[in-house]
Amino acid sequence: MTGAGVEDPRIVELRQMRHTARQGGGPDRIARQHNQGKLFVRERLELLLDPGTFHELEPFITHQGGDLGLTTEKYLGEGVVTGYGQIDGRTVYVYAQDFTVLGGTLSEMHSRKICRVMDLAVRNGTPIIGLIDSGGARIQEGVKALGGYAEIFRRNAQYSGVIPQISVMLGPCAGGAAYSPALTDLIIMVEKQSYMFITGPAVIKAVTGEEIEPDALGGADVHMSISGTAHLSAASEEEALQLCRRVLGRFPSNNVENPPYVPPTDDPLRMDEDLNTLVPLDPTIPYRMHDVIERVVDRGEFIELQPRWACNAIVGLARIGGHSVGVVAQEPSVMAGVIDLDASDKIARFVRMCDCFNLPLVTFVDSPGFLPGIDQEHRGIIRHGAKVLYAYSEATVPKISIITRKAYGGAYVVMSSKFLGTDVNYAWPSAEIAVMGAEGAVNILYRKQIAAAEDPEAERMRLIEEYRRRFNNPYHAASAGYVDDIIEPRETRPKIIAALAALRDKQTSGPPRKHGNIPM
Ligand code: HXC
């Protein structure tokens, strides 16, 4: 009340302005959004953040006129809600595009709002989360919108490895706009609701006449199983936002912090007896590496990233003894766990992400090597495989590896081998460490001897058996110091926990440089 007992009209005006700003494109547009099965931007923020923690910034910004002599209606907030809040009590900065305002399209001022929270996030060492729902560059803004995207991309790149950047796709992400999520650490999509493409269906139709459904062009299924661009997907927005909260709980707020420690409710000394019988005696019979991982990590909780793409490789986040770690492995039940182009990319990028954010790496190895053949060679398996070598060699976080069965040739070397700087290397008694499998080796080494034998096939089988006896075990490698110890499979969990404790204060330094030149 003013002195006269009348409410101050300036405060009344502020309330009205705030109310208008919170309505985005207005009730009709919000109803349209709901009718499409989508949540309104403010409902999304409530689900993402701890209750009552969101504080908005710059809600009164409006566009300053387009670049093409065209203009659009002015909406308070410019189609993006920005600010800060908390997830599990830790500060995060967030921007959330509002599709009800001009299709959530990006203008100069819309971009400025996003850049401001990105700058604040990096200055304060906190994660930045983008909730994406946008028709891309606002056509009326012309080059100003394109410049606005460039400002965001530059920050995505410069802040990469400094603070975690997470993109949650909740609607369209069209045109070059898709490059901002692509530059972030993790992309979470909603099935049948979010789309990501460089060239949309309308443009494709105009150019080629071909009609393509958005979902078939760049929906969650496509990016989870074919392109490998998305890391996680969920059936609903609510689930996607919960997933974002859960994933963030595994990351530190920035590159100089350690990931959050959660006192384990799973016994650190727990031994899983089933592990001792998991690997079949016959090396040609596969088993599931997922079973190994789930038996070793705390309470079997494993957040697998990219679970439907390059499934011969496994990457994901877990806690072991309460500490957040990155897990890398081969899945011997898919393509025998060979390393191909996509598996190389998947592993290399994940290793680098873990290294940025101080997540120790635990690697389980069972691979017969790189996938041979003209297709892989021509498409650059050398270039792609080199990324894995580079990533493991460069990573300075604690590195622990466990060879469960095959570690042949290139697979032995690239998968966190001792001489790439891995701190603790274990092998199970089932480990087979050799330049190649027995059949291939015998055919090369004893070709003449087999041909000259009375019964060549029997001689071949005898030599294979002999080779297996000599090399298909870990003792040969252990005797030369290539593995640190041979452990019973059931001991794996306590051994990893002890190694993580012993490596907690690891310090390394390399020669000074601007940055390396990873084979891309
Ligand atoms: C201006 C746009 C717009 C755009 C959508 N709108 N996209 N306005 N510029 N890029 C407007 C629509 O005109 C509409 O306004 C409102 O947003 C909602 O869009 P609808 O089409 O009604 O919604 P829907 O049917 O759900 O379809 C959503 C859509 C479609 C799939 C995103 O709008 C679409 O295809 N838009 C174009 C996407 C695209 O090609 N963008 C690339 C831009 S180039 P009204 O007032 O009628 O409701 C780019 C380059 C970036 O992004 C470069 C960076 C390197």
Side-chain angles (χ1 to χ4, degrees), residues 29 32-33 36 38 72-73 75 99-106 133-141 145-150 153 171-180 195 197-203 214:
R29 299 273 176 178
R32 186 181 173 219
Q33 178 92 346
Q36 288 179 339
K38 291 164 70 179
T72 49
E73 202 179 329
Y75 291 91
F99 196 81
T100 69
V101 174
L102 305 167
T105 49
L106 187 128
D133 190 0
S134 169
R138 191 178 303 161
I139 297 161
Q140 296 89 334
E141 292 255 334
L146 301 181
Y149 268 124
F153 300 158
C173 178
Y179 283 125
S180 172
Y195 313 106
F197 31 69
I198 297 297
T199 312
V203 180

Side-chain angles (χ1 to χ4, degrees), residues 20 30 37 128 147 159 333 353 366 445 459 520:
T20 307
I30 297 174
I128 177 95
Y159 302 166
S333 65
M353 183 181 77
D366 185 349
L445 289 178
E459 178 66 354
M520 302 285 230

Side-chain angles (χ1 to χ4, degrees), residues 199-213 217:
T199 312
V203 180
I204 294 178
K205 183 157 188 250
V207 176
T208 67
E210 197 185 351
E211 292 224 25
I212 310 178
E213 282 294 312
L217 188 62

